[in-house]
């Protein structure tokens, strides 16, 4: 089992930045594809970014490219999401997820373990 705990969310003005952190325990993260997803009220959970075990293969939702950056530190069992130029439409609960996948995926159902989420609210 992998336990994931997100932190770093909060209230920020449009144009501001936040860095989300995801701390893992229970198992080493270096065997897991890590993903960030988000869910706004009344909407389905959507893909934000994933990062492969080697930290090299990375993908972002098309609408977020250039503003968000995912990274990982396997030695610290941590995953991060840097979010710049935040917009009100980025308001959501952000979730960290871990998956024992051969191929990274944008599909949330492919991930095995989830954190409880951290709220990000962007005011206009």
């Amino acid at each position: 089992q992998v336990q994931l705990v997100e932190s770093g969310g909060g209230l920020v003005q449009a144009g501001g930045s936040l860095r989300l952190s995801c701390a893992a325990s229970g198992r080493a993260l270096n065997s897991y594809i890590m993903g960030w997803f988000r869910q706004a009220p009344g909407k389905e959970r959507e893909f934000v970014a994933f990062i492969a075990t080697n930290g090299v293969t990375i993908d972002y939702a098309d609408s977020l490219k250039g503003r968000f950056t995912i990274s990982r530190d396997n030695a610290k069992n941590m995953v991060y999401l840097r979010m710049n130029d935040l917009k009100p439409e980025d308001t959501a609960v952000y979730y960290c997820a871990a998956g024992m996948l051969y191929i990274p995926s944008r599909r949330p159902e492919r991930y095995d373990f989830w954190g409880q989420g951290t709220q990000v609210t962007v005011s206009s």
Side-chain angles (χ1 to χ4, degrees), residues 55-105:
V56 175
T57 301
I58 289 173
D59 191 24
Y60 300 95
D62 294 343
S63 62
L64 303 178
K65 290 178 180 177
R67 295 196 297 122
F68 287 20
T69 303
I70 190 172
S71 61
R72 65 190 298 163
D73 186 335
N74 288 336
K76 295 182 178 179
N77 248 20
M78 296 288 295
V79 180
Y80 306 98
L81 184 70
R82 177 70 179 181
M83 306 184 295
N84 295 328
D85 189 24
L86 283 162
K87 306 177 186 300
E89 52 265 39
D90 295 318
T91 295
V93 177
Y94 283 72
Y95 298 91
C96 173
M100 187 70 80
L101 310 175
Y102 289 107
I103 300 175
S105 175

Side-chain angles (χ1 to χ4, degrees), residues 45-61:
R45 191 167 297 189
E46 66 173 355
F47 168 75
V48 172
F50 67 61
I51 184 167
T53 55
N54 60 11
V56 175
T57 301
I58 289 173
D59 191 24
Y60 300 95

